[in-house]
Amino acid sequence: MISGRFGENGELFFEIELIASNGDRLPVEVLLDTGFTAGFLAINFQDLEALEWPLIRSKIRLATARGEDFYLYEGQVIVDGQEF
């Protein structure tokens, strides 16, 4: 079972691990966003550079509150001890 915490506005935060292309594991706290039901994880560009995940597709449009273009990368994460 995943353990987490609620933020000041009722957001749900929990920890996952990002797996870099070289195998390094980086623990990060993430915010559960029920709008990304397709299994996406929003990450800042500078963090993606460190992970060295391969780019799959550029500038895809996702329906978000900010309505921004996103880039799709392929990477691995560990959630509650299980690798995805």
Side-chain angles (χ1 to χ4, degrees), residues 2-83:
I2 298 173
S3 296
R5 68 176 178 83
F6 288 103
E8 293 179 15
N9 297 312
E11 319 92 327
L12 177 59
F13 293 96
F14 59 98
E15 189 173 287
I16 67 171
E17 289 181 273
L18 305 175
I19 303 174
S21 62
N22 66 3
D24 286 349
R25 293 182 178 194
L26 308 163
V28 295
E29 187 174 64
V30 297
L31 165 69
L32 177 64
D33 182 347
T34 57
F36 284 130
T37 58
F40 294 131
L41 176 67
I43 301 177
N44 291 325
F45 275 117
Q46 67 270 20
D47 298 327
L48 283 168
E49 289 175 357
L51 293 167
E52 297 181 349
W53 286 352
L55 177 66
I56 295 174
R57 190 167 161 210
S58 298
K59 291 190 177 182
I60 59 172
R61 193 67 133 155
L62 295 176
T64 67
R66 296 175 74 180
E68 296 181 6
D69 290 330
F70 287 81
Y71 295 79
L72 189 60
Y73 290 82
E74 181 179 20
Q76 296 174 302
V77 300
I78 297 174
V79 179
D80 197 28
Q82 186 172 354
E83 189 172 322

